[in-house]
Structure formats: structure tokens, C-alpha cells
Amino acid sequence: MSSYYTPSSILTDAQKTPLTFDLLLPHLSPLNNSTPITPGTRLDLPLWLAEMLAVSKPAGPGSASLATLDMPAALGGKVMNALRADPKSVDVRAQAQWFYGLGERMLELFEEEEVVEVLTETFKARALEIADKAQNTRTVQQGDGSSDFMNTLDEDERQRKYSEQPTMAAIP
Amino acid sequence: MALPLPPGLTASEVGFLCEMELVTVIPRQRLEGLELLGGPTQPLNPPFPTPLPLWLALLLKKQKRANINPPAWLSVDGLSHIHDFETDTRTAEVFSPSQALPPPAGVRHGYEDYLSSDVIDFAPPFLANSSTTGAQADALPYHWLEVGHLLLTHAADDFDDPEGVRRLLRDLREVRMSKLRKGFKVLDAGAGVKLNGVGGMEIAEVRGFVGGMVDGLRKINRSREESRREREAEDRENGLGGSSYQDDEDDMQL
């Protein structure tokens, strides 16, 4: 599923994440609307670019790395607390279109036991809810309040919902 | 990704597979045995009941050349017995058992009857007598939902009480689905659900959900899993023991 050529994995990598630069980088000014990048500049960059900048180090002994990566707001404390309170009431799609994909990528870079815990619980609770909603196609079509939850699904959840529906519809 | 189909079989594919099951027909016309790829069929001699593949039986039924004798479990008595088993509080945790397997044939001597063209060898989940009149009355075969649905749709007039059977089938499906759903609550990156006695259509129905869920959980837990493995590898190198075998189960793709 997460192969190099899959559109969803390319789009997952294109999600923005905040990055703080630690060095003066005149040649990277195109990233910052042609104003030079100074130490302390914060930019929202696509994940694939931010990751490369954060792990690369300029040549020379004892130099710091170019930039440090921060947790995106979608995985910040506020969202985590909201998810811990009630996974189903959070508009996951508004946080990030590929919310779980973003989580996976960030967890590869950061060791955050707590985020893993919250994401796992969220994923489970929401998956069961989605299965319930997907079973009952009629109410989804009529949109009697249940569509509110369906609008908050992230892309991955949306695809799983569609993969569950055809079987349901074919059975008497 | 190119094919917008979910992994596994679709409902109509499962329905197609179940047409391999033998059912008992009562012919109204004579028909010589047919030489088919899956093996020859028995000649039809009215009015003696004969086992035929479901697809052929349905064809003859449509042409009004035969009647289908529904299997013993597909009756109000059989289904209500199974329904009672499913809803009993003592057996609320398990699914009703599937049909008994035939006794093992043992080692065959010689090659003459292995894959020969005049015997049909059935392999599980296809059991030779699961949907004929010789079937057990108190156990569901693997293709219960599909066979039941096809027979009720195309041969409803061969049932004593088609409406009752249809109602019981629907009840049974809902009871068993709710049991399956209860099992999903314990799903985890490494956990499993016991699916003994679950039918083909039910598996096809939940495969997308279970596969997607376990896969997603596995992805989220990957970083934790990797750090755990690194720790274990370090422990092994330091001679602190740890688990001696390589734990490869989490790499499994669904």
C-alpha cells in the first residue's frame, strides 16, 4: 500500500510540518519567499523536504544540523488531549488529510510512547464506529446526523469505509 | 491500487464458488451423465434423488426439469436448533460448530484413484455431503449463507416454509455478525480473533475491515516495535538472554 508510486503515500509525504532553522542559509531563500533564512526562522515545509533538511549536516567538524523538526500541530498536545477524551468527536480530517500517515512518519523520527498510545486507541475506536456506519448504508445516504462523523474521516479511513460497503450491499 | 476492488473475494465471487456444492435434486426428466471438467455427474433417473452441483441444479430448476431437495440444516427445525445454540448464554462466546469432517481416507495405495477422472475429490471447505439431503441437520456448512440465499431465491417453492427459513437465516446472520463484531474489539497489532465455524460469506464480509484495521494498527505501532526489537537485539548481544527465537510474526502482511 505504501509503495513509492502510490498517490496516497506521495500526498502523505507532502503534508506540512514546522521546521526551525539553526544556521544562516542564503541559498535556501527560495523556500522563504526570497528572504534569506536566518537562525531561528520557522517554516512549514513538506514532510519529505523537512526530513531531509533536519537530518543533513553541513560539512566540517562540530557543526550543528541545519534545522530541527517540530511536532506538527495535528499531533500536538491539544489534539492528543481531545483524542484521549473522545476519539470520535475530533475532526481528524481538519487536523491533517492523512492523519495516521502523518503520525506514522513523525513517529519514525520521534520516540513518543504517549502519541503511539493515543493514536492506537483512536484508530481502534474510530475503526469500529466506521464499520458500524458502513454496515448501515441507508442512514448514511439519508444523512440523518450520522454523516457528521463521516465528514471527519481521514483519507485512509475513508478508503477503508468504501472497501467495506460493496460486500454489505450485495448480501440480501 | 489500480483495481478498485477490496482485497479478498467479493460477495458475488463467494457466491460463484459456492455453486460447486452438491445439492440433491429430484429429476423430472431423464438425463445421461455429463462429462464435466470437475468430474462426471450422475445420470438422472426420475424420480430418484441424485446429487448435482448447485449451478446445474439451479439451471435444471429454472427449466422446470428438476426439483431441489433442500438440505436438512436449511429447514425451520434445523435452523432454529442452530439459532438456539448461538443465542444460548452458555455458548454465547463461540460460533455453532461446522459440519463434521469426513473420516480421513488414510494413505492411498497405488495411483489408480488419485486424481482419476471418475471420482470427484472434495477438499475443505467443500465437503461432499454438506448441502445434500445427507447433510447434518444441526451444523452449518461453510457456504451456508450463499447456498441458503440461492436456494431461497431460485427454488423457494421446494421449501415447506420458505418465509420461516428466510427469517431464520436472517436472524442467524445478525446473531453471528454481532458475535464477530464483539471479537473485533480485542483486535490489536498482534492480536487475533478465533474464527472457528465462520462461513465463507462472513469472512469475505469482514476481511476488508479486519485486514485494514490490523494493518493500520501495525503501521502506527511500527516505531515502538522497532525500538523493542533493537532492545532485544542488544540484550542478546550482551548475553542477557531475551527471547531466543526471531519474532517474525509482526511482519505478516494481511
Side-chain angles (χ1 to χ4, degrees), chain A residues 124 127-128 131-132 135, chain B residues 177-188 191-193 195 202-203 205-207 209-211 213 217:
Chain A
K124 267 173 143 175
L128 285 171
D132 280 359
Q135 287 234 8
Chain B
M177 269 324 266
S178 76
K179 276 190 190 181
L180 268 179
R181 285 200 17 75
K182 237 176 254 165
F184 295 155
K185 295 218 169 93
V186 302
L187 271 183
D188 209 332
V193 189
L195 290 176
E202 290 159 306
I203 289 182
E205 220 174 317
V206 300
R207 184 195 296 266
F209 170 68
V210 175
M213 186 160 166
L217 285 173

Side-chain angles (χ1 to χ4, degrees), chain A residues 10 13 19 39 52 58 61-62 64-65 67 72 77-78 97 102 123 125 127 154 166:
Chain A
I10 295 172
D13 265 5
L19 190 72
M52 290 324 288
S65 60
K78 230 183 207 173
Q97 216 174 353
L102 184 67
F123 186 87
D154 98 319

Side-chain angles (χ1 to χ4, degrees), chain B residues 199-230:
Chain B
M201 189 63 93
E202 290 159 306
I203 289 182
E205 220 174 317
V206 300
R207 184 195 296 266
F209 170 68
V210 175
M213 186 160 166
V214 175
D215 208 34
L217 285 173
R218 189 182 54 83
K219 278 190 206 153
I220 292 173
N221 278 292
R222 191 167 55 191
S223 65
R224 183 194 274 182
E225 189 61 34
E226 272 168 9
S227 63
R228 186 178 69 85
R229 267 188 217 184
E230 276 167 23

Side-chain angles (χ1 to χ4, degrees), chain B residues 13 38 62 70 94 115 121 128 131-132 160 222:
Chain B
E13 284 164 347
K62 260 179 210 164
V94 292
L115 289 182
D121 271 332
S131 300
T132 57
D160 289 335
R222 191 167 55 191

